[in-house]
């Protein structure tokens, strides 16, 4: 027999989805200054919703950047306290012309809801809200366990505000464990807990040559070109076999345990299928001496994201730009330290600077890699809840992505995280046509209710 809360969630599926669509219509793009007001509006809408469903101490907490939303319900004496985390900010939607339906007009197609933020992370964060609503509603405003919920608006830009808050006010988020739904399932219908994330440093290299833009005929051949300088520098950061060339960068890399590697080998994964269906390229690249999953989950990588500057309009303009920029990140694995890696990187980049060029190497944001232990009652309750919903054993995976605050939860709050995500590998995170499988939205809510009820000692 499904519990009352589960029944309530089932009866309210279409309302839950309609409300999610309202949230998805708000373009809360944290990185674009012109969307500041939209980010705040999303925070306020969520605060109002947390209040409406019956949580207490609802607060929009200011940070140096975008606000956070906090609420709690702490009256389950003797029961565990869960810290629910999610982010309501989203990535920019460009390139717009690639979207089949507009990014901020949520649209249903073949069982999915398409919109920027559908799965990352509004749709997944909202599952927490709707699971809590279902339980509060059927139990006259009571929950089976204690809950704090914190939603941030800066995850996609590094999460500095929440990191500072956690460091300065750990008591305000005191809990036994954190619950995060911002990761993926390894395959459709395969219940998954994520137990590791890569860390990162995100950097910019600015190259300057001449004092001003120059006519490339009058000066080309004698004046330094900052784009060419960047090409020379960037080409020395990684070799053709995927090895990062920064001296010392691999010094603290901890390989996965034999048991973890063995478990990864039994995951349903085909490198060819991954290459053809997910990546869609003619070949995969990187360190061939490691399996693809190891390369993605347990090895550092260095990537170039964009090189703004110079002339990028239609047609031709013969110019030697005075400056050029490269956006470069490194994904990190345990035990690489972001600050130390940035120093090694900066020193190396400066040491290979071509003549006539000055380089400014800047750190935009950073976060630690994390691997989480699975030997705790929260993970056990999670796998049991997932089994109830999916009728399958849970697989434990790592992910190559980063959620900067998870490291701080472990280090500052000293609590483990349960990363129970319901995204799918083809959900197009950060890309055009982001989607969330509607069935997973509802199954996620059910799994969360069952998880909370198990921890609260109900059936
Ligand atoms: N939810 C993602 C991270 C993620 C993606 C985890 C897929 C597991 C599977 C998160 O919103 C994200 O995109 N993080 C950024 C962090 C960065 C901007 C600090 C990332 O990984 O690039
Ligand atoms: Mn996310
Ligand atoms: Mn993201």
């Amino acid at each position: 027999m499904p519990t009352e809360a589960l029944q309530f969630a089932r009866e309210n599926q279409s309302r839950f989805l309609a409300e999610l669509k309202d949230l998805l219509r708000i373009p809360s793009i944290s990185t674009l200054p012109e969307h500041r007001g939209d980010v705040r509006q999303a925070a306020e809408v969520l605060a109002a919703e947390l209040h409406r469903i019956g949580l207490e101490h609802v607060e929009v907490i200011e940070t140096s950047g975008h606000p956070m939303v906090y609420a709690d319900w702490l009256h389950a004496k003797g029961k565990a306290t869960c810290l629910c985390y999610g982010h309501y900010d989203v990535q920019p939607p460009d390139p717009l012309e690639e979207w089949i339906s507009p990014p901020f007009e949520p649209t249903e197609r073949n069982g999915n809801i398409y919109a920027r933020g559908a799965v990352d992370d509004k749709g997944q964060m909202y599952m927490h809200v709707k699971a809590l609503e279902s339980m509060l509603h059927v139990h006259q405003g009571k929950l089976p366990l204690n809950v704090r919920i914190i939603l941030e608006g800066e995850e996609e830009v590094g999460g500095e505000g929440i990191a500072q808050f956690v460091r300065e006010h750990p008591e305000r988020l005191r809990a036994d464990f954190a619950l995060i739904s911002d990761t993926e399932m390894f395959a459709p219908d395969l219940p998954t807990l994520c137990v590791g994330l890569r860390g990162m440093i995100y950097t910019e290299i600015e190259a300057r040559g001449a004092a001003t833009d120059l006519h490339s005929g009058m000066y080309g051949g004698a004046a330094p070109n900052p784009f060419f300088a960047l090409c020379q520098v960037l080409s020395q950061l990684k070799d053709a076999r995927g090895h990062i060339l920064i001296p010392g960068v691999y010094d603290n890399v901890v390989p996965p345990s034999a048991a973890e590697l063995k478990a990864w080998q039994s995951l349903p994964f085909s490198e060819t299928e991954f290459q053809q269906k997910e990546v869609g390229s003619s070949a995969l690249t990187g360190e061939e001496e490691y399996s693809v999953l190891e390369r993605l989950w347990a090895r550092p990588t260095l990537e170039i994201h964009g090189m703004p500057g110079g002339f990028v309009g239609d047609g031709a303009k013969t110019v030697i730009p005075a400056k050029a920029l490269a956006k470069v990140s490194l994904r990190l694995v345990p035990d690489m330290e972001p600050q130390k890696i940035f120093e090694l990187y900066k020193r190396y980049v400066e040491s290979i600077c071509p003549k006539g060029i000055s380089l400014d190497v800047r750190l935009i944001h950073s976060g630690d890699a994390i691997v989480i232990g699975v030997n705790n009652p929260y993970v056990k309750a999670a796998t049991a809840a997932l089994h109830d919903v999916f009728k399958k054993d849970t697989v434990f995976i790592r992910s190559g992505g980063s959620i900067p605050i998870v490291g701080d939860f472990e280090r500052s709050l000293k609590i483990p995280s349960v990363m129970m995500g319901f995204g799918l590998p083809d959900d197009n995170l950060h890309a055009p046509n982001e989607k969330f499988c509607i069935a997973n939205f509802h199954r996620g809510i059910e799994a969360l209710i069952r998880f909370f009820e198990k921890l609260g000692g109900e059936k």
Side-chain angles (χ1 to χ4, degrees), residues 146-168:
N146 302 295
V147 168
R148 298 180 195 267
I149 181 164
I150 184 95
L151 308 173
E152 73 160 313
E154 292 187 315
E155 195 275 345
E156 299 290 8
V157 290
E160 193 33 56
I162 192 174
Q164 194 183 338
F165 184 78
V166 168
R167 281 195 299 270
E168 289 174 4

Side-chain angles (χ1 to χ4, degrees), residues 87-98:
H87 65 92
Y88 66 85
D89 64 321
V90 302
Q91 287 273 324
D94 56 280
L96 280 176
E97 63 279 9
E98 298 287 322

Side-chain angles (χ1 to χ4, degrees), residues 209-285:
T212 179
D213 284 8
L214 299 172
H215 186 295
S216 68
M218 294 166 69
Y219 300 97
N225 183 316
F227 267 109
F228 203 74
L230 280 182
C231 293
Q232 289 174 318
V233 167
L234 297 175
S235 70
Q236 293 174 72
L237 294 182
K238 200 160 90 169
D239 72 17
R241 287 168 304 138
H243 305 123
I244 302 168
L245 300 173
I246 303 164
V249 76
Y250 292 107
D251 283 357
N252 295 320
V253 169
V254 177
S257 69
E260 209 174 0
L261 283 173
K262 194 164 161 236
W264 294 353
Q265 269 163 16
S266 51
L267 289 169
F269 183 76
S270 144
E271 295 193 355
T272 314
E273 214 171 285
F274 174 77
Q275 175 227 318
Q276 292 174 350
K277 299 222 174 98
E278 263 187 71
V279 177
S281 60
S282 59
L284 293 176
T285 58

